[in-house]
Amino acid sequence: MKKKDLRNQMTPPKFLAIGFASITLIGTFLLKLPIATADGTSTPIVDALFTAVSAISVTGLTVVDTGTHWSMFGQIVMLMLVQLGGLGFMTSATWIALMFNRRISLRERMILQEAMGQYQIQGIVDLIRRVLVYTLIIEGAGALLLTLRFSAIMPLSDAAYFGIFQSISIFNNAGFDLFGQIHGPFSGFATYVADPFVNIVVIFLIFLGGIGFIVIFDLIEYPKCKKLSLHSKVVLTVTSLLIVIGAVMIFILEHGNPKTLGPLSYPVKIMASLFQSITPRSGGVSTLDIASLEQSSQFFMIILMFIGAAPGSTGGGIKVTTFAVLIGAVVTMIQGKRDVVLYRNRISQALVYRSITLTILSLLLLVGASMFLSVTESGEFLRILFEAVSAFGTAGLSMGLTTELSGVGKVTISLLMFLGRLGPLTLAYALSRKNNKELYRHPEGRITIG
């Protein structure tokens, strides 16, 4: 009886929170093993935990260089954590169950619904099947293209390994890279700032990983049905606007900066600006030195990282749909109207409340974490704020503070990465008691605001 009661209390948000935490601990244990490092020594527990959380949350922040510190075993462990974190461990477990023709229970379908950010349980298993197919296709295509490019500078076997690793990492918006082996520790994609082939492949991988599978499915079906869902319209519209506005802003702000866009030709400046505008979607890779950007550019990227990617994607942040609902609510209030309307569809009041709640919880979390880090860490506040937002938005971009973090700072950033991937609202639901139906309503009161 007690076991049954415990199962009944295990709501989908609680299951997801416990599941992610359990996989993180397993990953920490594996990365702590001497076989996981290139020199055969054991990695400090805080660094192993930080790396495991960064991988499972598909963030990409690192306290040690991925290409030189970890052995192939350690890198493969990280890659598995990235794949599990990007697509969800329940999604992966469902794939295995389907391979063995096991029936997916109603409870498991409810957990999948929560994990995929869906509003209905119907068709969720079919959705998981399609996720597997399109993931293999996109990651496979990215790996093949990157392998062809890397084969010009390294043996084919190494190029294939680099291509597979980078394709999985970038599509899942993790941002880990192995270029420390050939270009020096923490070198990243800066070497390829003027390489159009690498830039185009990486941009498309980040974009496809950031818009989510629901939108990808809609785009594939569009030639047949000539129709997009409201969700897809909002995601594509807001994402496109943020990319274009971001690219223009970065180009203007960094145009004369001798440490970033200044020395580059105009075509490369445009390409680099576009790359830096897309990567805050949670891409985690950059072709420019983030620490050398103008402060205005860094703060603008903080805003982009906070907004993040789309629901049901491998990215983080409060999500572009949440941002769209908030903007819609502001416009509605200014116009003196009652309903938030997007593409001639009324948005429910519950969804507006959820968007406001998620945004406020996220802001409170970031304010508290940033204030705490400003006490435990040394450096400018903008640098600390950038790191905190990057961790929460699972963006993986850094101004160089990550490698200088204290033990307390590493744990704090790890918590931000975990909460950012899980979602503060999901965690709040996981920690809250089961909601009971209200039997009465209080009398309405009035207060003055504004």
Side-chain angles (χ1 to χ4, degrees):
M1 184 68 179
K2 291 183 179 180
K3 184 176 180 181
K4 186 177 180 180
D5 291 340
L6 183 62
R7 288 189 60 186
N8 291 334
Q9 294 177 3
M10 189 63 69
T11 61
K14 287 182 180 179
F15 187 89
L16 291 174
I18 294 174
F20 269 108
S22 301
I23 295 175
T24 300
L25 293 177
I26 295 173
T28 302
F29 170 76
L30 293 175
L31 292 175
K32 185 77 173 61
L33 298 174
I35 192 177
T37 60
D39 59 5
T41 60
S42 180
T43 302
I45 184 66
V46 176
D47 292 349
L49 173 65
F50 188 99
T51 304
V53 174
S54 184
I56 195 68
S57 65
V58 290
T59 302
L61 290 175
T62 56
V63 289
V64 293
D65 181 67
T66 305
T68 56
H69 178 82
W70 303 107
S71 64
M72 181 175 288
F73 174 83
Q75 292 166 2
I76 291 175
V77 169
M78 291 176 63
L79 208 58
M80 293 175 65
L81 291 174
V82 165
Q83 192 74 84
L84 285 173
L87 302 180
F89 68 93
M90 272 304 298
T91 302
S92 304
T94 303
W95 291 343
I96 296 174
L98 292 174
M99 288 174 60
F100 289 95
N101 293 321
R102 190 177 73 83
R103 183 178 176 275
I104 308 301
S105 68
L106 177 62
R107 186 176 189 82
E108 291 169 336
R109 292 169 191 259
M110 292 173 63
I111 296 173
L112 286 169
Q113 176 190 358
E114 178 73 25
M116 298 298 292
Q118 297 299 295
Y119 289 100
Q120 59 182 11
I121 200 170
Q122 183 180 2
I124 192 69
V125 175
D126 181 59
L127 173 64
I128 299 303
R129 289 193 181 98
R130 296 172 71 186
V131 166
L132 171 60
V133 173
Y134 291 124
T135 296
L136 292 176
I137 292 174
I138 295 171
E139 290 181 349
L144 177 61
L145 292 172
L146 291 176
T147 297
L148 293 174
R149 174 62 183 87
F150 296 149
S151 62
I153 59 174
M154 62 182 72
L156 183 59
S157 58
D158 293 340
Y161 178 64
F162 268 60
I164 294 171
F165 187 98
Q166 298 304 157
S167 180
I168 295 176
S169 176
I170 295 170
F171 174 68
N172 287 285
N173 284 193
F176 294 107
D177 68 80
L178 303 176
F179 296 121
Q181 298 179 15
I182 53 179
H183 302 306
F186 302 103
S187 55
F189 278 80
T191 309
Y192 301 96
V193 63
D195 190 320
F197 186 88
V198 172
N199 275 258
I200 291 172
V201 173
V202 172
I203 283 173
F204 270 100
L205 285 173
I206 295 174
F207 178 78
L208 292 174
I211 61 176
F213 288 102
I214 303 301
V215 180
I216 293 176
F217 298 156
D218 274 2
L219 290 174
I220 292 173
E221 296 294 329
Y222 182 77
K224 297 180 181 178
C225 61
K226 301 296 181 181
K227 185 179 179 180
L228 291 175
S229 66
L230 174 63
H231 172 82
S232 296
K233 290 178 181 178
V234 172
V235 168
L236 292 173
T237 300
V238 178
T239 299
S240 300
L241 285 174
L242 290 175
I243 289 174
V244 173
I245 294 172
V248 172
M249 288 293 294
I250 291 173
F251 182 86
I252 293 173
L253 295 172
E254 296 297 323
H255 179 270
N257 188 341
K259 297 180 181 179
T260 55
L261 295 184
L264 305 177
S265 64
Y266 271 95
V268 177
K269 284 181 181 180
I270 294 173
M271 184 169 62
S273 298
L274 179 63
F275 193 102
Q276 263 52 236
S277 176
I278 290 178
T279 195
R281 297 276 75 74
S282 282
V285 294
S286 177
T287 55
L288 298 178
D289 181 16
I290 301 298
S292 298
L293 295 173
E294 300 289 350
Q295 287 191 352
S296 53
S297 300
Q298 293 167 348
F299 188 75
F300 184 72
M301 292 186 75
I302 287 175
I303 297 174
L304 294 178
M305 290 189 296
F306 181 73
I307 296 173
S313 71
T314 57
I318 62 170
K319 303 298 189 292
V320 292
T321 47
T322 303
F323 180 69
V325 172
L326 291 176
I327 296 298
V330 171
V331 172
T332 299
M333 285 295 296
I334 292 175
Q335 293 177 342
K337 297 181 179 180
R338 176 184 299 179
D339 297 322
V340 177
V341 178
L342 299 176
Y343 285 100
R344 298 183 180 180
N345 284 265
R346 177 173 56 86
I347 305 302
S348 69
Q349 194 176 58
L351 195 59
V352 176
Y353 284 158
R354 183 182 177 97
S355 300
I356 295 172
T357 303
L358 173 61
T359 303
I360 292 178
L361 283 176
S362 301
L363 286 172
L364 290 175
L365 176 65
L366 284 172
V367 168
S370 299
M371 290 178 64
F372 180 76
L373 287 170
S374 67
V375 175
T376 63
E377 312 303 315
S378 59
E380 299 177 355
F381 184 74
L382 182 62
R383 195 172 179 226
I384 292 172
L385 179 64
F386 191 99
E387 211 78 10
V389 177
S390 178
F392 172 78
T394 68
L397 300 176
S398 176
M399 292 174 61
L401 181 63
T402 305
T403 55
E404 303 171 6
L405 290 171
S406 63
V408 176
K410 291 175 182 177
V411 173
T412 304
I413 293 295
S414 296
L415 286 173
L416 282 174
M417 291 189 292
F418 182 80
L419 292 174
R421 183 65 184 117
L422 189 63
L425 200 57
T426 300
L427 184 67
Y429 287 157
L431 296 178
S432 64
R433 295 181 178 181
K434 188 176 182 180
N435 293 327
N436 296 317
K437 184 178 180 180
E438 294 182 357
L439 301 179
Y440 62 92
R441 298 180 70 186
H442 292 282
E444 181 178 310
R446 293 182 180 274
I447 60 173
T448 303
I449 62 172

